[in-house]
Amino acid sequence: MDEYSRFVDWDKMDSSFQSQDVKELTCPELPELKQLARQGAWAKNHFLRAKVYHKLISNIPCRTVTPDANVYRDIVVEIVGKRSSSSLPLPEFVDDSLVPTYCLNAEGIGAVRKIILCIANQFPDISFCPALPSVVALLLHYSKDEAECFEQVCRILACNDPSKRLIDQTFLAFESSCMTFGDLANKYCQAAHKLMVAVSEDVLEVYSDWQRWLFRELPMVYVARVFDVFLVEGYKVLYRVALALLKFFRKVRAGQPMKSDSIQQDIRAFVRDIAKSVPPEKLLEKAFAIRLFSRKEIQLLQMANEKALQQKGITVKQKRSLPVFDQMQNVHLAVHAENFKSEIVSVKEMRDIWSWIPERFALCQPLLLFTTSEHGCSLSRFYSHSEGHEPTLLLIKTTAKEVCGAYLSTDWSERRRGGSTLSFFGTGECFVFRLKPEVERYEWVIIKHPELAKSGSETENHTSPSSSTLSSSSAPSHSSDHLSPFLSARHFKLPSKTASMFMAGSSECIIIGGGDGQALYLDADLNHGRTSHCNTFNNQPLCSESFQISLLEVWGFLD
């Protein structure tokens, strides 16, 4: 065996790893390297993968003073002492019960604990890093000795490239990544998300497992393939693979009864046994077939979620018996049955709606702002009660017992920017939905309005949809911490001049753009409405083409 076999138990190792046909990898250009990583160019050669890992990690930009192999040799004896490595207590920022062994031999299993303790000594700022044991265990398979593994992990932790996120090292970063994954699952895995909502009491708790799927439950051969690409492309790869796992879980388990009382346990079991149904190549193929947001937009979404958590005071992990997300107000607990009362929807229906909204707002309580049963059918009162709140939720019940609504990302006061002219505003997080007769959420936001063409030039003064950066002109300044990161027109397949036109309001009417060719129009008296439905899309209309409003409610989000 080669020099990188010291810690490997070859009886446990998949035979595909054991090829000793040594090759050199010469790949100076990143695009070619990305392609090779995705194709598994070094997946079947243990020695070559070790060489590639060493090369990729040595090229990670790091802090000036980053602990190296010599530091490990200097401190390990003092830190470990004469204690047995197999019984060494781990620092609080990792879960002692979730340390994978993969294909390590007895020496390797003990070495994982020694290396983690030495990392804790050198990185006192790490407060929460559940992925660390898996990263150490994996890299130990491809290291000559403990010191080399220590140095490689330190370089990953000390990466100082602001555009390259690698491993979460704080509870705030970890929790916000779980919320971000929930946002992405809501958008890119709608069928699976619908299943999670149906069978789980707490959707966010399910999604808080996403890193565990990758770093604890996946078999070694899959983890290594993911890590191959992760070292080349970064954190976004982890989201892709976790979304692919969710898609495959839904596909493979569709129509089957749950194997346990917990959807969390079922997903974990599926990921552990994934080799029975999905080979590594298929998993990566599915992951990279997802047309995910850009890295920049995911970073903006992560920042928005972090700000929401900070505003809630959720920045550190509290000591508790359960491993994930218990301290946080989750999607369902945010709608408390004893405090919620609507004449249009039940608590269960409101919780379903809550599972669709961006995770950073799912931390908030619903707050009734306006209802026609109390405030009357006045559009001016609708505006006066709704303005100053962002986002808002609109609920409508028709005289035909239909129930529909819209999630509106922007303050209605934005309508004033157009003066007396009907002006369009909003962001790509807006969506419309139907609850009765059938539940349906319409994702892509498109305005269908005959006046749109002539108003296109006016809206350029309101927002800059071609930009994917946040600016104070994109939304009211008082809620800048909650700005939508999705301001890039290309992700919504709209002309740049009309990309932000999702809401419109005047003294005469309200127009709300829906998804999949849907749009909603409400008259000034709030008694009548109509919908626009594009037959190009294979879906049911939002509600009747022309309808009378029985009840209308507007809900805000209470921090």
Side-chain angles (χ1 to χ4, degrees), residues 127-276:
S127 59
F128 194 72
C129 193
L132 183 61
S134 301
V135 174
V136 173
L138 178 65
L139 287 176
L140 205 52
H141 291 77
Y142 303 98
S143 301
K144 295 178 181 178
D145 54 32
E146 295 172 12
E148 183 178 88
C149 180
F150 170 84
E151 179 175 327
Q152 291 190 352
V153 177
C154 286
R155 291 193 66 83
I156 292 174
L157 294 171
C159 175
N160 62 359
D161 183 348
S163 67
K164 181 178 289 187
R165 176 179 177 172
L166 293 178
I167 296 179
D168 295 330
Q169 299 176 42
T170 67
F171 187 65
L172 179 63
F174 172 78
E175 297 281 66
S176 62
S177 78
C178 296
M179 293 170 65
T180 300
F181 179 76
D183 286 324
L184 297 175
N186 193 358
K187 191 169 191 68
Y188 295 103
C189 303
Q190 292 184 27
H193 181 72
K194 190 173 182 179
L195 174 63
M196 298 302 111
V197 173
V199 301
S200 171
E201 294 184 358
D202 182 355
V203 177
L204 196 51
E205 185 177 354
V206 175
Y207 292 151
S208 70
D209 251 8
W210 80 279
Q211 288 195 30
R212 175 173 177 153
W213 303 341
L214 302 176
F215 292 115
R216 181 65 181 93
E217 308 298 349
L218 269 181
M220 165 76 178
V221 63
Y222 291 77
V223 176
R225 286 298 303 276
V226 173
F227 206 74
D228 292 347
V229 192
F230 167 73
L231 286 178
V232 177
E233 302 188 40
Y235 200 88
K236 186 178 174 182
V237 170
L238 304 183
Y239 283 132
R240 284 189 175 280
V241 176
L243 290 171
L245 288 170
L246 197 60
K247 283 177 175 284
F248 275 121
F249 172 79
R250 185 256 173 189
K251 180 180 180 181
V252 173
R253 295 291 176 85
Q256 298 182 14
M258 290 179 59
K259 295 187 176 181
S260 71
D261 294 332
S262 165
I263 189 68
Q264 272 185 296
Q265 296 298 331
D266 271 22
I267 297 176
R268 291 174 187 175
F270 169 77
V271 176
R272 280 195 301 272
D273 298 331
I274 193 170
K276 296 178 180 178

Side-chain angles (χ1 to χ4, degrees), residues 251-499:
K251 180 180 180 181
V252 173
R253 295 291 176 85
Q256 298 182 14
M258 290 179 59
K259 295 187 176 181
S260 71
D261 294 332
S262 165
I263 189 68
Q264 272 185 296
Q265 296 298 331
D266 271 22
I267 297 176
R268 291 174 187 175
F270 169 77
V271 176
R272 280 195 301 272
D273 298 331
I274 193 170
K276 296 178 180 178
S277 55
V278 184
E281 294 76 19
K282 286 292 185 182
L283 178 63
L284 291 178
E285 181 182 325
K286 174 72 77 174
F288 289 105
I290 300 172
R291 299 181 65 85
L292 204 58
F293 288 127
S294 70
R295 182 181 289 106
K296 176 65 175 177
E297 286 165 320
I298 289 177
Q299 288 174 346
L300 290 170
L301 181 55
Q302 183 91 11
M303 288 168 55
N305 285 332
E306 285 189 6
K307 286 184 179 180
L309 288 168
Q310 288 171 329
Q311 289 174 341
K312 287 288 183 180
I314 302 173
T315 57
V316 296
K317 179 177 181 290
Q318 304 297 320
K319 291 184 178 180
R320 57 190 189 273
S321 59
L322 295 176
V324 290
F325 246 85
D326 302 355
Q327 119 185 21
M328 189 174 171
Q329 279 187 297
N330 51 58
V331 169
H332 281 236
L333 293 181
V335 183
H336 296 302
E338 62 272 19
N339 299 326
F340 176 76
K341 184 177 181 181
S342 168
E343 297 180 79
I344 299 178
V345 298
S346 66
V347 173
K348 170 63 170 63
E349 288 169 330
M350 191 59 135
R351 287 174 172 173
D352 287 345
I353 297 170
W354 233 241
S355 74
W356 296 334
I357 66 177
E359 297 288 2
R360 62 190 183 279
F361 295 114
L363 299 172
C364 303
Q365 291 285 331
L367 174 67
L368 185 61
L369 303 176
F370 174 85
T371 171
T372 52
S373 64
E374 179 180 345
H375 302 105
C377 300
S378 166
L379 187 55
S380 62
R381 281 198 289 270
F382 170 96
Y383 286 138
S384 65
H385 283 268
S386 302
E387 287 175 4
H389 295 271
E390 181 179 298
T392 54
L393 189 70
L394 175 69
L395 297 176
I396 297 171
K397 183 176 182 179
T398 72
T399 54
K401 308 300 183 183
E402 299 166 309
V403 175
C404 63
Y407 171 79
L408 305 169
S409 65
T410 305
D411 193 327
W412 277 106
S413 63
E414 283 289 286
R415 77 187 192 284
R416 296 201 188 100
R417 291 198 177 191
S420 59
T421 305
L422 186 67
S423 58
F424 294 84
F425 53 96
T427 73
E429 286 186 319
C430 294
F431 62 86
V432 291
F433 57 86
R434 184 185 67 223
L435 294 179
K436 293 177 181 178
E438 296 177 351
V439 177
E440 184 70 44
R441 183 185 62 151
Y442 302 91
E443 177 62 23
W444 296 107
V445 183
I446 304 171
I447 283 289
K448 297 291 183 184
H449 189 262
E451 298 175 12
L452 186 60
K454 66 180 182 181
S455 63
S457 60
E458 298 165 0
T459 58
E460 287 185 293
N461 297 323
H462 305 321
T463 57
S464 180
S466 60
S467 168
S468 59
T469 59
L470 300 180
S471 67
S472 59
S473 64
S474 299
S477 59
H478 66 269
S479 56
S480 59
D481 286 346
H482 291 310
L483 289 175
S484 166
F486 306 123
L487 303 179
S488 180
R490 61 190 174 86
H491 291 295
F492 303 102
K493 304 187 186 304
L494 300 174
S496 61
K497 289 185 178 181
T498 62

